[in-house]
Amino acid sequence: MEYDKIFILHQNIVHFPHIITSADATQVPFSFCLELSVRSVAEDRLGLEKEREKRGMDFLQWKAFPILVLLASFLVFYFRTSSKPSNSECSLLPHDHFWIHSKRIVTLEGVISGAVEIRGGNIGSIVKDKDQHDKVLKGHVVDYGEAVVMPGLVDVHAHLDEPGRAEWEGFYTGTRAAAAGGVTTLIDMPLNSFPSTVSEETLRLKVEAAKDKLYVDVGFWGGLVPDNAFNKSALEGLLKAGVLGLKSFMCPSGINDFPMTNASHIKEALSTLADYDRPLLVHSEIQLDFDSTSELKDGLDDPWSYSTYLKTRPPSWEEAAIKELLSIIQDKRTSGHQWAHLHIVHLSDASASLDLIKGAKSSGARLSVETCPHYLAFSAENIPDRDTRFKCAPPIRDAANNQKLWEALMDGHIDMLSSDHSPSVPELKLFDEGDFLRAWGGISSLQFVLPVTWSSGQKYGITLNQLASWWCERPAKLAGQELKGTIMSGKHADLVVWEPDADFVIDESYSIYHKHPHISAYVGSKLSGKVLATFVRGNLVYSDGKHAPTACGVPILAK
């Protein structure tokens, strides 16, 4: 009977309140609890002493019983509707304290054989195998054998396109793809979403759009545009609201509410950013006065050939922009004014542009530069006609340039790598027309950057520690994320487990988690380096083709 269930619940509440469970309380409908309260009062008034004696309750317990039932029902309702997921929902591994063992763990000291202790989302300790005879691994142990355990990748350049253009990608699909690719932290660019992230209000909209959709941790760059460049209070408001730095374009961005900036805008931003010790990231191309398309020869060049598009964005555009940027920071240095860190995104030209960067760095400029896997994996000569999947800006250049980029990366002149994941809806790529001049530019790549970098770098002899430096340690430092990017005690337990020697082909049977899988230029590629598992703050968010039930990544806001 219902009253028997109530009696049992009451006994639990009175005698064992610390072990009352939702299973107990859910045996009784909330409406029934209210009915019972009314009946109890009525019985009290009628003096139904026999009922109370039958249950063996004293008078005060029975008076308190309806209130306790109501309280229990409220607590069940509260915990059922609480927004904080349990560990079992956030992770495929239901442990808060455990060890990860591998014969190849990538640390700052080198690659070791040992175990990493995970406790409460952070790295508790690191034990080498040769030292384990003095310390027994207590608790659950996950042994990955010969697989590599490395810091999770930190991608400082991705376009997730939400709010406003979630049909292009979106936080949910973008971060699922990131997790499947070993990326544990993303920094989202301020444009391609709508509205662009150029104010406190637009940042708030972006953070709200990301709620409950993040499988990895996501931070945000703010946008530097003419409308906010000379408004110090507006820029400071955006920085105080939590953006990790600012991003600007020195050429048209292709997005209406994200216009290009000039030298004056950049000078103002560098001053404001210096007060917060946050970087300015710049798309470094300047469209020169002459119309590059006028160089195209009638009858010999056509919009379906990649070489035609390549001519429209020559290396001189990057060179001109970088020369102007270096002039700006040189003026600031000679004037004695404080200046912020300047970061050049997606360098494509490995000739004059790179030489300018090398010279500035050798003179002590606060300057860093990234390039992207597509500039290292592809060359212009091998891009098929009409295949607009390969269109991006700045463009993929020839094989000789590709080799120079690799040499600069290996020699330390290029500091880090990023995906510049920039998808769109398939219709904008104009696959049916194959027109490189009119198709939307951008490489869809987020899930594949680790194996692409590893595969294309084999002939240059890249090491696991170099990979971790380019993809983890240095990007984390640029974004101000001191708790990410390395395997050290006290850091976030952000890890990727992968098999460098495992080959696979990205074909129709391969699981791709991007919103539009087949617009990626990497479809059809054979790669080495299969991701087995990804941990974000100790949660196993991806393992062997499965994601955790709930997206529990954290929005990162600067303080």
Side-chain angles (χ1 to χ4, degrees):
M1 292 177 62
E2 296 287 0
Y3 283 98
D4 292 330
K5 294 179 181 178
I6 289 293
F7 174 73
I8 294 168
L9 175 60
H10 165 248
Q11 292 289 74
N12 285 341
I13 294 171
V14 172
H15 299 293
F16 308 104
H18 59 290
I19 61 168
I20 187 70
T21 67
S22 61
D24 294 325
T26 53
Q27 297 297 316
V28 184
F30 188 80
S31 59
F32 182 75
C33 296
L34 291 175
E35 178 188 350
L36 180 63
S37 298
V38 173
R39 291 191 182 188
S40 177
V41 173
E43 288 176 357
D44 184 62
R45 288 178 177 178
L46 293 171
L48 298 179
E49 298 294 335
K50 292 183 179 180
E51 181 68 22
R52 292 196 294 272
E53 291 174 358
K54 179 181 177 182
R55 296 302 186 186
M57 299 179 185
D58 61 43
F59 180 77
L60 291 176
Q61 281 184 331
W62 186 249
K63 291 281 287 185
F65 171 48
I67 298 173
L68 291 170
V69 172
L70 286 171
L71 176 61
S73 300
F74 170 79
L75 290 172
V76 171
F77 175 79
Y78 174 80
F79 286 112
R80 280 184 159 187
T81 57
S82 173
S83 61
K84 185 178 180 180
S86 67
N87 183 261
S88 62
E89 293 174 319
C90 297
S91 178
L92 295 168
L93 185 67
H95 297 280
D96 189 57
H97 178 217
F98 59 97
W99 293 82
I100 293 175
H101 181 270
S102 169
K103 294 182 179 180
R104 290 190 285 181
I105 300 173
V106 183
T107 72
L108 291 176
E109 298 176 354
V111 180
I112 67 167
S113 177
V116 180
E117 180 187 22
I118 312 299
R119 184 186 291 273
N122 292 329
I123 296 173
S125 61
I126 303 160
V127 180
K128 295 180 181 179
D129 279 343
K130 65 179 182 179
D131 301 328
Q132 280 191 27
H133 63 276
D134 296 325
K135 184 171 183 178
V136 178
L137 303 185
K138 295 181 180 180
H140 186 79
V141 178
V142 184
D143 192 350
Y144 284 107
E146 297 283 349
V148 171
V149 175
M150 197 171 83
L153 276 64
V154 179
D155 187 357
V156 295
H157 193 149
H159 299 266
L160 297 182
D161 310 324
E162 196 172 0
R165 293 192 177 95
E167 69 274 15
W168 290 22
E169 184 62 271
F171 287 113
Y172 182 77
T173 54
T175 59
R176 277 170 63 86
V183 178
T184 55
T185 304
L186 286 173
I187 316 299
D188 187 36
M189 280 293 168
L191 72 161
N192 290 14
S193 55
F194 183 79
S196 294
T197 311
V198 295
S199 66
E200 292 179 69
E201 173 62 19
T202 51
L203 175 62
R204 184 185 64 79
L205 292 174
K206 177 156 281 195
V207 174
E208 286 182 356
K211 186 178 180 181
D212 299 328
K213 299 176 184 176
L214 305 181
Y215 274 87
V216 304
D217 290 352
V218 176
F220 310 93
W221 301 119
L224 176 69
V225 293
D227 283 348
N228 64 18
F230 296 115
N231 188 337
K232 188 176 178 67
S233 64
L235 283 184
E236 288 191 334
L238 185 54
L239 292 165
K240 289 176 181 177
V243 297
L244 305 180
L246 299 176
K247 161 75 180 294
S248 74
F249 269 69
M250 297 179 76
C251 62
S253 72
I255 299 295
N256 291 336
D257 68 341
F258 204 94
M260 60 183 282
T261 53
N262 59 31
S264 297
H265 302 132
I266 290 170
K267 287 179 182 178
E268 291 295 323
L270 286 171
S271 266
T272 302
L273 284 163
D275 296 335
Y276 293 82
D277 195 24
R278 297 180 206 170
L280 175 65
L281 288 71
V282 184
H283 180 123
S284 303
E285 286 183 292
I286 288 180
Q287 189 170 354
L288 300 177
D289 291 339
F290 67 90
D291 181 5
S292 59
T293 59
S294 66
E295 292 188 338
L296 305 180
K297 300 176 182 178
D298 293 338
L300 296 179
D301 294 295
D302 63 65
W304 304 285
S305 170
Y306 180 78
S307 62
T308 300
Y309 170 64
L310 186 58
K311 292 174 185 177
T312 68
R313 297 186 92 106
S316 57
W317 283 27
E318 290 186 80
E319 180 186 1
I322 291 169
K323 190 176 293 183
E324 185 164 305
L325 285 173
L326 298 184
S327 175
I328 292 168
I329 61 175
Q330 180 61 33
D331 288 346
K332 281 197 167 289
R333 293 178 68 198
T334 56
S335 67
H337 291 151
Q338 191 178 20
W339 48 291
H341 183 91
L342 181 67
H343 181 72
I344 295 170
V345 301
H346 51 42
L347 180 73
S348 170
D349 173 36
S351 295
S353 301
L354 182 60
D355 289 340
L356 288 169
I357 293 168
K358 289 161 63 174
K361 291 171 94 175
S362 65
S363 67
R366 289 191 68 190
L367 177 68
S368 57
V369 59
E370 71 187 47
T371 193
C372 304
H374 44 272
Y375 299 127
L376 302 171
F378 301 128
S379 57
E381 297 92 332
N382 297 323
I383 295 176
D385 288 351
R386 298 177 180 268
D387 198 344
T388 56
R389 295 178 303 158
F390 292 88
K391 180 180 179 179
C392 59
I396 296 165
R397 304 196 188 279
D398 60 27
N401 185 81
N402 172 294
Q403 182 172 343
K404 288 181 180 179
L405 282 176
W406 266 114
E407 291 169 355
L409 182 64
M410 295 295 290
D411 292 341
H413 300 304
I414 294 174
D415 301 280
M416 66 191 75
L417 297 174
S418 74
S419 70
D420 190 15
H421 176 68
S422 186
S424 69
V425 290
E427 293 77 16
L428 291 178
K429 299 298 284 186
L430 302 182
F431 292 130
D432 291 338
E433 300 176 34
D435 188 329
F436 278 103
L437 299 182
R438 294 178 54 243
W440 184 264
I443 305 289
S444 181
S445 60
L446 191 50
Q447 187 175 333
F448 310 123
V449 291
L450 174 56
V452 167
T453 306
W454 180 250
S455 301
S456 57
Q458 289 301 291
K459 66 179 179 181
Y460 296 96
I462 67 172
T463 67
L464 294 173
N465 278 100
Q466 284 175 317
L467 198 64
S469 176
W470 300 333
W471 270 114
C472 312
E473 181 187 0
R474 291 177 182 173
K477 185 176 180 181
L478 176 71
Q481 299 306 300
E482 297 178 355
L483 294 177
K484 297 182 181 295
T486 55
I487 297 179
M488 293 177 63
S489 296
K491 303 279 190 176
H492 289 164
D494 294 350
L495 306 168
V496 55
V497 183
W498 60 290
E499 292 183 334
D501 299 326
D503 297 335
F504 61 97
V505 177
I506 305 174
D507 55 20
E508 291 184 358
S509 65
Y510 191 83
S511 295
I512 304 175
Y513 298 99
H514 302 148
K515 171 87 42 119
H516 303 289
H518 301 296
I519 68 170
S520 176
Y522 295 110
V523 172
S525 299
K526 181 179 180 180
L527 302 174
S528 298
K530 184 178 180 180
V531 173
L532 301 180
T534 303
F535 294 82
V536 179
R537 300 190 191 228
N539 288 325
L540 180 57
V541 300
Y542 174 82
S543 180
D544 293 327
K546 296 181 180 179
H547 288 81
T550 302
C552 298
V554 177
I556 302 170
L557 296 173
K559 297 179 180 178

